[in-house]
């Protein structure tokens, strides 16, 4: 089964939905806002009072984060137009994700909020212009848009997902579900090669679509600082899920065979690995390449207070469920999902109670099409 047929975040607005469990990802978008704002500002100025501006959000999912950067783009450009005494451009905004994404919730719940927020600007006397939004289902590891039509691409926490699990990983990574300290060397190589193939395909496709000379792209992926792909900073979250799954095998609830060939289709690259692929593909010049980190505690409830909040294993497990449940449920069946995530919550609560303070590392790259 190809990843694109199975992978999607939990849809709707239910308790286990991505919409209700993606505060950490929202904070990452806020943390990288200065880089995004700079790219948008430089783009607009280099375009010399454009009549239209076209943006794509890749891996947009469905929830409050879906339109966060599109909203910023429209506001920032309108603000610039006000300051420069120019007529704002018409905006075209494309929202992309895999076919299984809950696009209905975007159109029904999130798009109206976006439209309302931008309409409010009109009542505050802001200069306004039309904004056309469309949904574009499909994999970003293929062409999605017409040649030379996009001015700005944004993507956050999406490009670490691979297009497939390499055969060697399925055969050799038996006791792990991701790269782990105990994974054979061939497994690490296979994951890395898949990342290189996928990321270079992504860059090649976008190079056709982004306007030459001016178009910008800001990508943030879950990554690592270390050059060791088995480093705890990127693997620990999945190692703890593997523990929960192994407990289920020991209890006879899930079959060992099914666990042995189950692997997470992700690769969390280092900044050096990202840089190497961008330079090798050659169509984009790097303006910024940065790492940042965010504590697992940021999965707490409040937007502002959570950075200092106590890490809560239940919140971490809730977020991971909203991301990984479709993959797990396809392999092990829907009926065992509550049990898996109860065990995972207990393991996480236990580790965090012992004073561990795990963090995720984000790698952000801002580029211009040559
Ligand atoms: C963790 S969510 C991030 C959503 C949102 N960008 C955010 O920051 O909250 C990752 C999204 O990437 C999407 N995705 C993964 N692989 C993809 C691909 N090949 N093409 C398009 N979308 C993909 C997933 O379906 C999922 O909705």
């Amino acid at each position: 089964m190809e990843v694109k047929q199975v992978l999607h975040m939990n849809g709707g607005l239910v308790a286990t939905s991505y919409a209700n469990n993606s505060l950490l990802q929202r904070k990452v978008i806020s943390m990288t806002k200065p880089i995004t704002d700079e790219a948008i500002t430089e783009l607009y100025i280099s375009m010399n009072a454009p009549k239209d501006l076209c943006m794509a959000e890749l891996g947009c999912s469905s929830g409050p984060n879906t339109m966060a950067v599109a909203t910023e783009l429209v506001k920032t450009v309108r603000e610039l137009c006000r300051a420069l005494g120019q007529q704002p451009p018409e905006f075209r905004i494309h929202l992309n994700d895999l076919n299984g994404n809950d696009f209905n919730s975007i159109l029904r719940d999130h798009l109206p909020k976006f439209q309302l927020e931008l309409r409010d600007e009109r009542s505050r006397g802001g200069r306004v212009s039309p904004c056309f939004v469309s949904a574009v289902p499909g994999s970003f590891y293929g062409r999605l848009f017409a040649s030379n039509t996009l001015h700005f691409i944004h993507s956050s926490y999406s490009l670490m997902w691979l297009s497939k699990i390499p055969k060697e990983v399925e055969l050799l990574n038996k006791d792990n579900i991701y790269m782990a300290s105990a994974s054979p060397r061939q497994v690490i190589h296979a994951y890395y090669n898949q990342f290189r193939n996928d990321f270079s395909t992504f860059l090649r496709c976008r190079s056709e679509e982004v306007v030459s000379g001016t178009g910008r792209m800001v990508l943030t992926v879950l990554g690592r600082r270390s050059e060791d792909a088995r480093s705890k900073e990127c693997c620990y979250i999945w190692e703890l899920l593997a523990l929960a799954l192994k407990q289920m095998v020991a209890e006879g609830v899930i079959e060992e065979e099914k666990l042995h060939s189950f692997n997470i289709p992700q690769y969390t690259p280092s900044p050096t690995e990202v840089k190497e692929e961008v330079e090798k593909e050659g169509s984009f010049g790097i303006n910024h390449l940065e790492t940042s980190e965010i504590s697992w505690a940021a999965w707490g409830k409040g937007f502002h207070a959570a950075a200092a909040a106590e890490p809560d294993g239940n919140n971490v497990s809730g977020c991971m469920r909203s991301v990984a449940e479709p993959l797990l449920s396809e392999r092990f069946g829907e009926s065992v999902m509550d049990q898996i995530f109860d065990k995972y919550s207990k393991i996480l609560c236990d580790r965090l109670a012992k004073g561990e303070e795990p963090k995720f590392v984000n790698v952000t790259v801002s580029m211009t099409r040559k």
Side-chain angles (χ1 to χ4, degrees):
M1 177 92 52
E2 279 193 75
V3 169
K4 68 179 176 192
Q5 289 169 303
V6 190
L7 182 65
H8 60 88
M9 307 295 104
N10 277 343
L13 291 171
V14 293
T16 55
S17 64
Y18 186 75
N20 278 321
N21 291 280
S22 46
L23 187 61
L24 179 134
Q25 291 88 334
R26 181 72 185 86
K27 288 180 183 171
V28 172
I29 292 173
S30 293
M31 283 164 65
T32 54
K33 187 174 175 316
I35 299 176
T36 314
D37 282 354
E38 185 184 280
I40 294 169
T41 303
E42 288 179 3
L43 166 73
Y44 179 76
I45 289 171
S46 71
M47 286 174 75
N48 205 6
K51 290 204 167 22
D52 80 303
L53 210 154
C54 183
M55 166 195 173
E57 178 71 41
L58 305 184
C60 64
S61 197
S62 163
N65 305 348
T66 298
M67 313 225 48
V69 173
T71 309
E72 280 314 311
L73 171 106
V74 175
K75 285 186 177 172
T76 304
V77 170
R78 285 182 177 168
E79 203 55 57
L80 279 167
C81 292
R82 220 177 347 256
L84 297 167
Q86 294 173 350
Q87 183 59 30
E90 291 188 355
F91 296 94
R92 279 177 290 138
I93 292 172
H94 299 301
L95 303 174
N96 155 260
D97 207 292
L98 292 170
N99 293 38
N101 185 49
D102 186 2
F103 284 104
N104 281 340
S105 287
I106 300 181
L107 304 182
R108 195 183 48 229
D109 304 317
H110 308 296
L111 185 55
K113 280 187 203 137
F114 168 77
Q115 287 164 331
L116 210 64
E117 201 173 336
L118 295 184
R119 207 172 312 138
D120 277 355
E121 249 191 293
R122 188 195 300 258
S123 63
R124 288 197 301 271
R127 285 175 182 249
V128 290
S129 54
C131 186
F132 305 104
V133 180
S134 58
V136 181
S139 171
F140 48 51
Y141 295 126
R143 283 291 303 275
L144 292 165
F145 308 101
S147 300
N148 221 30
T149 52
L150 293 180
H151 300 109
F152 184 66
I153 288 182
H154 180 263
S155 180
S156 189
Y157 267 42
S158 301
L159 265 155
M160 66 279 182
W161 289 105
L162 300 172
S163 67
K164 63 176 187 193
I165 288 287
K167 264 274 152 288
E168 300 89 319
V169 175
E170 271 178 9
L171 294 173
L172 301 173
N173 205 26
K174 292 198 169 164
D175 288 323
N176 314 296
I177 62 167
Y178 188 56
M179 293 179 287
S181 45
S183 297
R185 197 165 289 281
Q186 298 100 300
V187 166
I188 309 299
H189 279 149
Y191 261 116
Y192 178 44
N193 284 337
Q194 189 61 47
F195 162 75
R196 292 199 318 183
N197 281 339
D198 282 345
F199 193 45
S200 63
T201 304
F202 173 88
L203 291 167
R204 206 168 43 249
C205 292
R206 303 296 81 78
S207 74
E208 300 284 332
E209 299 164 349
V210 174
V211 175
S212 295
T214 46
R216 302 269 178 148
M217 186 149 79
V218 177
L219 313 173
T220 296
V221 294
L222 193 57
R224 62 185 143 84
R225 286 204 163 99
S226 162
E227 288 309 326
D228 179 4
R230 287 179 254 206
S231 139
K232 189 173 175 182
E233 61 185 345
C234 54
C235 304
Y236 194 45
I237 190 89
W238 297 117
E239 271 179 43
L240 299 185
L241 180 60
L243 283 183
L245 293 169
K246 281 179 197 163
Q247 287 179 9
M248 302 277 286
V249 170
E251 289 167 13
V253 184
I254 60 179
E255 292 165 40
E256 191 169 37
E257 280 303 294
K258 286 193 177 171
L259 179 58
H260 277 173
S261 58
F262 178 76
N263 289 285
I264 299 294
Q266 260 193 14
Y267 185 83
T268 35
S270 70
T272 314
E273 289 170 343
V274 168
K275 184 167 177 266
E276 269 171 15
E277 287 316 306
V278 173
E279 288 177 349
K280 189 147 46 99
E281 196 281 329
S283 307
F284 292 89
I286 296 180
N287 307 316
H288 286 293
L289 177 63
E290 289 185 18
T291 55
S292 53
E293 57 181 40
I294 185 158
S295 160
W296 290 11
W299 264 323
K301 297 285 179 219
F303 190 81
H304 297 292
E310 284 296 307
D312 177 350
N314 295 313
N315 287 338
V316 179
S317 167
C319 179
M320 290 301 285
R321 182 170 187 163
S322 77
V323 170
E325 182 165 3
L327 288 174
L328 289 160
S329 143
E330 196 270 331
R331 175 58 61 101
F332 303 110
E334 229 176 291
S335 60
V336 296
M337 288 303 113
D338 284 346
Q339 280 182 73
I340 291 178
F341 285 98
D342 282 350
K343 286 194 189 305
Y344 192 36
S345 284
K346 286 197 184 94
I347 293 169
L348 286 160
C349 288
D350 175 59
R351 298 295 167 112
L352 298 175
K354 285 180 178 144
E356 292 188 21
E357 291 176 9
K359 293 185 173 71
F360 288 118
V361 173
N362 317 307
V363 177
T364 302
V365 59
S366 176
M367 295 174 269
T368 303
R369 176 74 173 92
K370 288 180 185 165

